Amino acid sequence: MSEETVDLKLKHKKKIAPEDLIFYIFNTIIMVLFAVVTLYPVLNTLAYSFNEGNDAVRGGIHLLPRAPTLRNYQEIIFERKSIMQGLWVTIGRTVLGTLTSLAANALLSFILSRKKFLFKSSLSLFWIITMYANGGMIPVLILYRYLHLTSSFWVYIIPGMVSAFNVMVMRTYMQGIPDSLEEAAQLEGAGYMRVFWSIITPLCMPVYATIALFVAVGHWNSWFDAMLYNRFDPQYTTLQYELRKLLDSVSASTGGQQAGTSATASSAATITPVTIRAAATIFTMAPIIALYPFLQRYFVTGLTIGGVKE
């Protein structure tokens, strides 16, 4: 090790004040405890989801399944047509809903971020008001019926296409882009759509990824709209609504853990409410957990810069 390297390390050590060192140690301990508290329920649920049902009702499973099996997932995915139907509808609404919402929010944000737009202040105030005031559930349901959105797939897409919060975040992000870029492009003959597509869009990828994650998670986890608007239309059911019905039926028919004991009495049963509930939970979490690492690097940048107001 060279003398210069040693000197740099010594200088670095001297820069850390005692109070900063105490803060780092305390912060690390808190973060480790927080990670353990957060991860343990997930890993425990994962272990139960892969455990044989009769064995799971005995309890005592922590991080690893005691009697590994895939029977719980087979029961949910392959032996229930309603689950598969709901899965395809949920995938469709998540992909289409995210793309349309991203396009609508981005175009509206681009308009509101332009200094030359005459009505940007009044329209921004209008969108902010919608964040705090709404008509309520019954008027919204009546409105959707008049618009023929109920009993259709489009009730998942059209009403949630524009979000005031997302527009405000994206508008603030776009306002941070130098006007000189747009002016230079317009001098070269570019129109507003060309500026939006070729200049604004590439620079807004962090905030686009952040909003896309927000919208995709919302669509994937949503079940209440399926119950409210498409309750009697099984072709438009969603995965979360079907899983919720499954969990409700399991809880109602067995009464939770006590019913698991009764399930044990059935020698042929290898599926119990405990393992079904765990498998359903992991099944809904898996796509979001798989997607999050790819968007996480954009998440902090997009939300931080989009939330800064000068």
Side-chain angles (χ1 to χ4, degrees):
M1 184 179 297
S2 64
E3 294 181 357
E4 294 180 355
T5 305
V6 174
D7 293 339
L8 288 174
K9 287 188 174 181
L10 291 175
K11 290 180 180 179
H12 181 68
K13 288 182 179 179
K14 291 179 181 177
K15 290 181 181 178
I16 300 177
E19 57 270 21
D20 291 337
L21 183 61
I22 294 174
F23 171 77
Y24 292 145
I25 295 174
F26 182 76
N27 191 33
T28 302
I29 294 173
I30 293 296
M31 289 297 104
V32 170
L33 291 176
F34 184 75
V36 171
V37 171
T38 305
L39 286 177
Y40 179 76
V42 178
L43 296 177
N44 181 252
T45 303
L46 183 66
Y48 269 97
S49 71
F50 283 104
N51 201 86
E52 194 271 332
N54 288 339
D55 181 76
V57 297
R58 293 165 46 200
I61 297 175
H62 298 287
L63 298 180
L64 295 174
R66 192 165 46 212
T69 180
L70 296 176
R71 188 72 179 84
N72 302 312
Y73 289 96
Q74 292 176 351
E75 171 70 17
I76 291 177
I77 300 174
F78 299 110
E79 297 183 6
R80 294 178 184 272
K81 293 182 179 179
S82 60
I83 297 291
M84 293 304 297
Q85 174 66 23
L87 175 62
W88 290 118
V89 173
T90 300
I91 292 175
R93 70 172 289 183
T94 301
V95 174
L96 186 60
T98 302
L99 293 177
T100 55
S101 179
L102 196 60
N105 287 321
L107 287 170
L108 183 58
S109 303
F110 175 66
I111 295 172
L112 295 178
S113 65
R114 298 302 91 190
K115 294 181 179 178
K116 297 179 181 178
F117 183 55
L118 184 61
F119 304 105
K120 66 174 186 177
S121 298
S122 56
L123 282 179
S124 297
L125 178 62
F126 170 77
W127 288 110
I128 291 174
I129 291 175
T130 63
M131 295 173 65
Y132 301 99
N134 60 73
M137 183 185 302
I138 302 303
V140 169
L141 177 60
I142 295 173
L143 176 63
Y144 288 179
R145 283 182 176 174
Y146 275 116
L147 296 176
H148 303 287
L149 286 176
T150 56
S151 300
S152 74
F153 175 78
W154 298 108
V155 74
Y156 303 134
I157 306 298
I158 296 176
M161 190 175 293
V162 175
S163 164
F165 175 79
N166 295 339
V167 169
M168 293 300 111
V169 172
M170 296 176 78
R171 185 205 63 174
T172 307
Y173 191 97
M174 290 178 182
Q175 286 176 339
I177 298 175
D179 295 335
S180 56
L181 291 175
E182 180 183 348
E183 293 170 359
Q186 289 178 339
L187 287 176
E188 296 293 333
Y192 281 108
M193 284 305 298
R194 183 72 173 176
V195 170
F196 171 76
W197 186 252
S198 300
I199 296 177
I200 300 298
T201 297
L203 295 175
C204 289
M205 282 302 173
V207 74
Y208 283 3
T210 304
I211 298 301
L213 182 61
F214 283 164
V215 177
V217 171
H219 276 292
W220 182 263
N221 289 331
S222 181
W223 63 272
F224 188 70
D225 50 4
M227 183 189 73
L228 197 60
Y229 307 124
N230 289 326
R231 187 173 186 174
F232 304 106
D233 298 282
Q235 69 271 29
Y236 302 126
T237 189
T238 62
L239 174 65
Q240 306 296 343
Y241 180 52
E242 291 301 323
L243 290 176
R244 181 176 176 82
K245 288 197 301 184
L246 173 64
L247 294 178
D248 288 344
S249 63
V250 167
S251 300
S253 62
T254 61
Q257 188 69 28
Q258 183 178 357
T261 306
S262 65
T264 312
S266 175
S267 59
T270 58
I271 304 299
T272 62
V274 177
T275 55
I276 284 291
R277 189 180 299 114
T281 303
I282 296 298
F283 186 57
T284 57
M285 290 173 54
I288 301 301
I289 293 177
L291 181 65
Y292 188 80
F294 297 99
L295 298 177
Q296 192 272 340
R297 63 193 180 106
Y298 296 109
F299 189 78
V300 176
T301 304
L303 195 60
T304 302
I305 298 179
V308 173
K309 298 177 178 56
E310 296 180 353

